[in-house]
Amino acid sequence: MIPEPPPKVITRLRDGRIHAYVVGAGAYGRLEPAAVFQPRDGEEVVASVVRQDLERVVYTTLNGVVCLTRAGNLVWASDFEPRSDVRHGHRPGCALSLDGRTVWVYRPDAMAGRGDGDQWVVHDADSGVVVARRELETVGHGAFHHVHPVDGSIYLDIGEGQDGSVILLGTVGADGEPEFVTYPWQDRCLIDLAPSGHQFMTVDHGQADVAFHRHPNGDVLFILPVEAFGYDPEESFVEWSGGYLTEHTAIVTVGGENEDEVEWFRHHLVDVRTGTLSGEFTVEASNPYELVPLGDGSWLTGGPGGDPVRWSSSPQPSAPPHPAAPTSPYERQQL
């Protein structure tokens, strides 16, 4: 049985401020920020994460990582040296460990002109002291962190543009020291982890297929090429989006262009226990990346003014009318 996870805290950058939203039981419809953090004067936030108790925020800029209290007081800061004057092509990222004790920071130093490779740096969350540093051979533009919901390991998916994507796994060993593993792929993008953490989902960098892997060794459970969804692989592709709607159901997004060169995309449901399709998931969204499944049968889309909106196919008293209901009987059964 999967233990009930704590409420998720997500962030959105709006008007230069970091808005934190708590996605917990009963929080449906347009979400209101539970806390708002003001970055230091003159700093442009690239990525951010807020602690579970909403009392601290960690954010990256192009030239450093900063930790502030909710009142705006500085806890610690760490500059990326030397300072880069490159404005585009590199986006540092950050994540908090599951226990909140460490901050994991991806530094795309190569694209920033700081060296030949990137770095993955682990800071003590209270002091900012560097407790581990991994020199990488990647030349990435940016990366996404995925925190394992049970064992606390952290995946890092580094995007190298046309050169592909590199996936690493960081764990804390028996001696308390972080350990790092690089998966033997240069062509897969990590999309999401299952709610239990037993598996994860990747999409081919060339967008030809979607695959599901066993955690943590990465063994492939099954692969679905784009033609398995009923599309011509010469005219359509798997988007780098989607994820786990529930433990047993994943959303895979397929896109393309019609004969009039108008872009289209559709969401499809996959039973990850059997590797079979479970129908189309019809949701109103402006682009293939707006839909964010949360793993508990609910999902987010964008809302008025930038606030996220949370939906569920199960009736919720506080939820607004759905843009569209899922079309698969299987999906309704699982929720």
Side-chain angles (χ1 to χ4, degrees):
M1 185 175 180
I2 304 171
E4 185 71 22
K8 293 182 180 181
V9 178
I10 63 172
T11 63
R12 296 289 187 270
L13 185 64
R14 294 178 53 194
D15 302 322
R17 298 190 298 171
I18 300 166
H19 292 231
Y21 303 85
V22 176
V23 184
Y28 290 89
R30 180 178 177 179
L31 303 181
E32 297 291 338
V36 178
F37 296 83
Q38 178 67 57
R40 296 190 298 181
D41 290 344
E43 292 187 329
E44 296 181 19
V45 175
V46 174
S48 62
V49 61
V50 169
R51 206 168 67 177
Q52 191 72 29
D53 64 2
L54 304 177
E55 291 302 320
R56 288 187 185 178
V57 64
V58 175
Y59 63 85
T60 55
T61 68
L62 294 182
N63 282 290
V65 55
V66 179
C67 179
L68 301 178
T69 66
R70 189 166 176 172
N73 298 318
L74 177 65
V75 180
W76 56 268
S78 179
D79 295 331
F80 303 156
E81 298 290 351
R83 183 177 178 83
S84 173
D85 292 325
V86 179
R87 293 290 301 168
H88 305 287
H90 62 108
R91 297 183 61 81
C94 58
L96 273 169
S97 62
L98 187 64
D99 60 12
R101 295 180 179 178
T102 53
V103 175
W104 298 60
V105 178
Y106 167 69
R107 294 177 44 166
D109 286 349
M111 291 299 296
R114 297 191 180 95
D116 296 330
D118 303 332
Q119 296 186 58
W120 200 11
V121 185
V122 185
H123 297 260
D124 180 279
D126 290 326
S127 66
V129 170
V130 174
V131 298
R133 186 187 304 269
R134 175 64 179 258
E135 302 287 343
L136 306 174
E137 297 179 357
T138 56
V139 181
H141 294 276
F144 293 99
H145 289 87
H146 299 262
V147 181
H148 193 278
V150 178
D151 66 26
S153 57
I154 298 181
Y155 283 87
L156 182 70
D157 176 33
I158 301 172
E160 295 188 288
Q162 64 182 9
D163 292 329
S165 181
V166 176
I167 301 174
L168 296 93
L169 181 65
T171 61
V172 177
D175 57 359
E177 292 295 321
E179 301 173 353
F180 303 91
V181 174
T182 302
Y183 288 93
W185 316 309
Q186 297 287 328
D187 60 350
R188 304 217 63 85
C189 303
L190 180 60
I191 304 301
D192 198 11
L193 305 183
S196 67
H198 290 160
Q199 63 172 250
F200 59 92
M201 169 182 166
T202 68
V203 168
D204 168 49
H205 187 265
Q207 300 183 274
D209 60 54
V210 60
F212 294 85
H213 308 253
R214 182 176 289 110
H215 168 81
N217 57 29
D219 289 349
V220 176
L221 300 170
F222 64 92
I223 296 177
L224 293 173
V226 68
E227 51 264 42
F229 297 88
Y231 301 102
D232 184 344
E234 298 297 323
E235 300 177 354
S236 54
F237 48 84
V238 181
E239 295 279 6
W240 299 308
S241 61
Y244 289 86
L245 181 64
T246 69
E247 177 67 18
H248 303 306
T249 307
I251 297 175
V252 177
T253 307
V254 178
E257 289 186 356
N258 62 22
E259 56 186 15
D260 297 322
E261 298 185 348
V262 176
E263 295 183 354
W264 58 267
F265 61 91
R266 296 188 181 96
H267 304 295
H268 293 268
L269 298 168
V270 174
D271 184 336
V272 299
R273 298 168 296 185
T274 62
T276 57
L277 304 187
S278 300
E280 191 171 331
F281 188 69
T282 307
V283 174
E284 185 176 323
S286 61
N287 64 74
Y289 296 90
E290 182 181 351
L291 169 68
V292 179
L294 298 176
D296 60 357
S298 68
W299 63 94
L300 299 177
T301 61
D307 289 325
V309 179
R310 186 184 183 196
W311 309 91
S312 173
S313 58
S314 299
Q316 302 294 333
S318 60
H322 285 33
T327 59
S328 165
Y330 168 79
E331 191 273 337
R332 291 195 183 98
Q333 178 184 352
Q334 290 306 305
L335 298 179

